[in-house]
Amino acid sequence: MIEVPRLQLSGVCKAFGANVVLDGLDLELAKGESVVVIGASGTGKSVMLKCILGLLRPERGSIRIDGEEVVGLRGAERERVLTKFGMLFQSAALFDSISIWENVAFGLIEGAGMDPEQARAIAIDKLAKVGLGADMAEQDPARLSGGMRKRVGLARAIATEPDIIFFDEPTTGLDPIMGDVINNLIVECVRDLGATTLTITHDMSSARTIADRVAMLYGGQIIWAGRVDEIDSCGNPFVDQFIHGREEGPFELEVT
Amino acid sequence: MNNPLAVVGRFFLNFLAAVGRLAVFAGRSLAATFSPPFYFRLIGQQMLVIGYYSLPVVGLTALFTGAVLALQIFLGSSRFGAESAVPNIVVVGLTRELGPVLAGLMLGGRVGAAIAAELGTMRVTEQIDALITLQTNPFKYLVAPRLVAATLTTPLLVLVADIIGVMGGYLVGIHRLDFNSMVYLKNTYDFLEAIDVESGLVKAAVFGFLIALMGCYHGFHSKGGAQGVGRATTDAVVSSLILILISNYFVTEAFFSQ
Ligand SMILES: Nc1ncnc2c1ncn2[C@@H]1O[C@H](COP(=O)(O)OP(=O)(O)OP(=O)(O)O)[C@@H](O)[C@H]1O
Ligand SMILES: [Mg+2]
């Protein structure tokens, strides 16, 4: 029997007016797999995540989660599907009207209906995992630095121990040591919790640490996908240019 | 392109589309308001923000409006020797019209702008998207508490405004216009009918609802950073003020036309 993929995108198209962002994107994630998507800035990586979560609606294509078609789901159906997900937004998107621990515990209290005392204990535990002490718990998110916000966002994404976790640039803005802590945390989520993760990053060393597979997004499609140890010898000129950060290559950069 | 009919037509179609979007938004908001889960803590918090913190603004507005009303009516009515009508014209004018309308306008500026700016910022910083991914319906979590709080607290604010406004008229009446204190109060009380106050309170509830709805609607649909939030805030204030004045006419019609 063939195992149903945890997440399967086929032919997904999304445009904003005349700006075609996703143009027939195909991607599959098996259960317990960690996939990293790389691609130039503005190619639609964040848009892809938002389409999967239903925050944006693709014009065409199919998105299946555990075999279930989710494009166009609404209301209670959508909420049920979303319980499977955790998401770290690129901008962290912390709620600034509530404290840090309430941010982390939000999905537990509002989503899962957990008792606040219990949720608070879990939140403080998750904050510790991203290197933030219990003394931060009561503070206002507005006072945090960019990297700290990222880490709180990460703690919030993993707090409910979801099946599928998306990390949109988890290590951007972090120092190398903290970046490594976060990389290990993502690996731990996959290994210990059995989560399936989809991570977007520009940081190749981070990609090498956390990825089972790497996929490259270009021109609205996945132009290359393969195991992380194949990436150096893949022979794809786009991937080659990207991972080595060279200016010369097939990418058309609009710099003058 | 330059055909004036096409311009008018496009304008009209855009207008209809906007009305349609607003109607859908209002429908979803009401559905969210009357179905669980109910966030009572958030409703309480919003009542404090919308109602309690607006008291000084509304109170000051009412005080000076009542005072100037007494002065003007005295000057006008003295031409007919009808000065004794000052207390009852002041109280009827305040409870029926000036209390709710002026309080509504002040709240439209204060509360409508605050709601639009807050929700607009949440929209452009992806906080609303984050809410959704955490399985929380933003209509229930953000919109419903504000609608409920504004609809319930505005009548209370207007009741306070009525009382403070009458006091403003009374102070001018006895200190500047030589009314007898007892006579002024008795005239105020005797001529006041229940419907004067009731119609004012119904107006207040309608205005409160419209202010919160406009704030939420424009905040929710703001896009594109700080500039977008600024535009949403302006739109929320302008549209709520216009809707207050328009709906004021229709509620008045409903109450007082035969
Ligand atoms: N809500 C939106 N409305 C209109 N256009 C949008 C919207 N969101 C994204 N876009 C457009 O979609 C394209 C892809 O954006 P996206 O945020 O997915 O890029 P990205 O690959 O995540 O880039 P980065 O690595 O810089 O985060 C951009 O051209 C952007 O202008
Ligand atoms: Mg992005």
Side-chain angles (χ1 to χ4, degrees), chain A residues 41-47 49 90 168-169 200 202:
Chain A
S41 189
T43 45
K45 304 181 297 295
S46 300
V47 167
L49 297 187
Q90 189 170 355
D168 198 342
E169 306 196 6
I200 290 171
H202 296 293

Side-chain angles (χ1 to χ4, degrees), chain A residues 51-220:
Chain A
C51 285
I52 301 169
L53 293 169
L55 299 171
L56 293 171
R57 189 172 177 162
E59 282 89 40
R60 253 170 305 125
S62 140
I63 298 172
R64 290 173 177 277
I65 292 161
D66 295 325
E68 181 192 4
E69 179 63 52
V70 297
V71 172
L73 286 190
R74 315 180 51 147
E77 290 284 279
R78 171 64 66 188
E79 273 182 27
R80 177 179 54 74
V81 169
L82 283 172
T83 57
K84 298 182 181 181
F85 284 94
M87 165 82 177
L88 164 65
F89 284 85
Q90 189 170 355
S91 63
L94 302 183
F95 306 126
D96 42 29
S97 58
I98 55 179
S99 69
I100 289 173
W101 82 263
E102 286 172 306
N103 263 280
V104 177
F106 198 93
L108 297 168
I109 297 174
E110 302 296 345
M114 188 185 279
D115 164 65
E117 274 308 304
Q118 200 183 344
R120 188 172 193 278
I122 295 176
I124 287 178
D125 179 52
K126 299 291 175 194
L127 282 170
K129 280 198 158 66
V130 297
L132 295 169
D135 51 319
M136 308 284 300
E138 300 295 340
Q139 285 188 26
D140 218 23
R143 292 168 44 182
L144 297 178
S145 76
M148 289 160 113
R149 297 175 67 87
K150 248 311 154 37
R151 287 186 274 152
V152 175
L154 204 135
R156 185 174 70 181
I158 62 174
T160 55
E161 305 193 346
D163 295 340
I164 311 171
I165 317 177
F166 294 165
F167 300 103
D168 198 342
E169 306 196 6
T171 53
T172 308
L174 300 184
D175 62 78
I177 302 168
M178 191 45 75
D180 202 46
V181 170
I182 298 304
N183 287 337
N184 291 333
L185 183 63
I186 293 174
V187 171
E188 205 177 286
C189 282
V190 176
R191 200 184 50 214
D192 300 348
L193 305 176
T196 306
T197 63
L198 181 54
T199 307
I200 290 171
T201 188
H202 296 293
D203 173 354
M204 286 315 299
S205 77
S206 162
R208 287 175 205 275
T209 314
I210 58 185
D212 296 323
R213 280 198 306 134
V214 177
M216 171 138 195
L217 181 62
Y218 178 77

